[in-house]
Amino acid sequence: MPITYYSSNSDIPTVTRDEEFMSMALEEARKALKKGEVPIGAVVVCEGRIIARGHNLTETLTDVTAHAELQAITAAAQYLSGKYLTNCTLYVTLEPCVMCAGAIGWAQISRIVYGASDPKRGFSRFAPKAFHPKAKISAGVLEKTCGDLLSSFFTEKRKG
Ligand SMILES: [Zn+2]
């Protein structure tokens, strides 16, 4: 999907910044897909720019904790040389699981934006208060693209 940037002579963006950053998270998800991983990707944005990226690496690293969000959070903390990501927004293609929601809370991330919902494993069912109390949550950004990428992966996997 092409990314359309703000036109300087228009106040109305054709693509919101949330969609722009979610497209970058989708790029990460596609990197996971190429490695045979469940296609989930994440980026961390600070002051309007991406400071860290991550994608699911649970198969590659043989590690159930190697979720996209945790890869991105670790990279962001390294980039900032600080463990708290207080002024950061995390974009992730799928609703974070309980484990990642815990990490997002520990990192004090101030805003979480996700694409597709995960009714089975998502935090909102099991740990709706895991985030920092002041954290803002936006759901459903590029939801269909994020969800389709996952469902086509699982359809292919069942065929194979
Ligand atoms: Zn997770």
Side-chain angles (χ1 to χ4, degrees):
M1 198 191 76
I3 297 166
T4 310
Y5 291 98
Y6 290 9
S7 159
S8 57
N9 54 10
S10 169
D11 292 333
I12 304 160
T14 48
V15 174
T16 67
R17 294 225 87 189
D18 278 353
E19 286 176 351
E20 178 190 331
F21 290 130
M22 189 60 80
S23 319
M24 301 316 289
L26 273 161
E27 282 303 306
E28 287 297 309
R30 291 185 186 108
K31 284 182 197 168
L33 185 67
K34 282 199 185 114
K35 295 173 182 170
E37 301 275 0
V38 178
I40 301 166
V43 297
V44 175
V45 171
C46 186
E47 291 167 1
R49 62 194 188 92
I50 293 171
I51 61 162
R53 302 157 190 268
H55 53 268
N56 180 35
L57 286 172
T58 52
E59 300 296 329
T60 306
L61 300 177
T62 334
D63 181 357
V64 294
T65 71
H67 285 188
E69 298 94 315
L70 298 193
Q71 305 298 312
I73 287 169
T74 302
Q78 278 171 358
Y79 177 86
L80 294 172
S81 303
K83 60 185 174 179
Y84 296 121
L85 308 178
T86 315
N87 295 315
C88 297
T89 300
L90 175 83
Y91 291 81
V92 58
T93 56
L94 181 68
E95 178 183 346
C97 71
V98 175
M99 171 181 73
C100 291
I104 290 163
W106 284 116
Q108 301 185 11
I109 290 174
S110 59
R111 185 165 176 249
I112 300 93
V113 182
Y114 64 88
S117 293
D118 186 357
K120 282 189 192 149
R121 310 294 286 270
F123 77 94
S124 55
R125 178 173 169 192
F126 300 104
K129 292 180 181 171
F131 298 150
H132 189 272
K134 285 183 182 163
K136 292 184 173 66
I137 303 163
S138 304
V141 174
L142 301 185
E143 183 173 17
K144 193 175 179 319
T145 315
C146 294
D148 286 352
L149 190 63
L150 280 160
S151 46
S152 60
F153 171 80
F154 286 113
T155 307
E156 285 299 313
K157 212 174 162 76
R158 274 195 293 272
K159 278 190 213 159

